[in-house]
Amino acid sequence: MQWRSTCSYLDLGAYRICCAVPRDNPLASRTSLTFDDLEDETLYMSKQGDIPHLDALRDNIERNHWRINLKDAPFFYDINLFNRCAQEGAILLSLECWDRVHPAFATIPLDEGYSTPYGICYPKTLTENVMHFIGIIKTILENERYQ
């Protein structure tokens, strides 16, 4: 990830990969989805190389599920992307934490074993306050690992 060369990163965990499915799509009532379910659908997701840990997911779709119509999403999702997908009836690769981010979508887990890490980005040169804050978070994470 290009931004990691300009800042530090503290990993906090991972979110399951989900699909934001327009509520009028029959798939919106499902409790989980597979790649086979997405065949003949349009799926927006990050471009190859934008998010390296999702590149394997994209490769899998391109190689093995060519009936899924992949479209490139911008690096940062915003309300305009959700609105475009709603207008097109397209599905958007999403995260479980974005459930209910847009009223026109149901967030459905992708039952294919993919996840994405999340964490805190902070400057490489730390102020005392940032150093203290990151230290507190690291201590909390260490204590959770031993419980």
Side-chain angles (χ1 to χ4, degrees), residues 41-88:
E41 298 285 348
T42 296
L43 176 68
Y44 277 85
M45 70 173 294
S46 59
K47 294 182 284 203
Q48 189 75 17
D50 272 1
I51 304 173
H53 58 270
L54 292 182
D55 286 348
L57 186 153
R58 188 178 184 106
D59 287 343
N60 184 355
I61 293 172
E62 288 175 341
R63 264 190 261 116
N64 303 311
H65 303 280
W66 51 268
R67 288 183 52 193
I68 298 173
N69 178 26
L70 280 180
K71 288 198 173 183
D72 292 338
F75 185 75
F76 293 108
Y77 287 16
D78 62 14
I79 194 66
N80 295 323
L81 176 60
F82 280 89
N83 288 339
R84 180 180 345 140
C85 288
Q87 289 172 343
E88 293 178 13

Side-chain angles (χ1 to χ4, degrees), residues 31-132:
T31 57
S32 66
L33 297 170
T34 65
F35 289 137
D36 290 340
D37 296 326
L38 298 176
E39 290 191 356
D40 300 320
E41 298 285 348
T42 296
L43 176 68
Y44 277 85
M45 70 173 294
S46 59
K47 294 182 284 203
Q48 189 75 17
D50 272 1
I51 304 173
H53 58 270
L54 292 182
D55 286 348
L57 186 153
R58 188 178 184 106
D59 287 343
N60 184 355
I61 293 172
E62 288 175 341
R63 264 190 261 116
N64 303 311
H65 303 280
W66 51 268
R67 288 183 52 193
I68 298 173
N69 178 26
L70 280 180
K71 288 198 173 183
D72 292 338
F75 185 75
F76 293 108
Y77 287 16
D78 62 14
I79 194 66
N80 295 323
L81 176 60
F82 280 89
N83 288 339
R84 180 180 345 140
C85 288
Q87 289 172 343
E88 293 178 13
I91 296 171
L92 178 61
L93 199 69
S94 185
L95 302 175
E96 62 186 319
C97 62
W98 293 346
D99 187 26
R100 298 188 186 112
V101 75
H102 192 289
F105 291 91
T107 300
I108 315 292
L110 182 61
D111 195 22
E112 297 285 348
Y114 290 93
S115 63
T116 186
Y118 69 92
I120 300 171
C121 297
Y122 57 95
K124 287 200 175 281
T125 305
L126 300 177
T127 64
E128 189 173 319
N129 287 339
V130 172
M131 190 180 321
H132 181 69

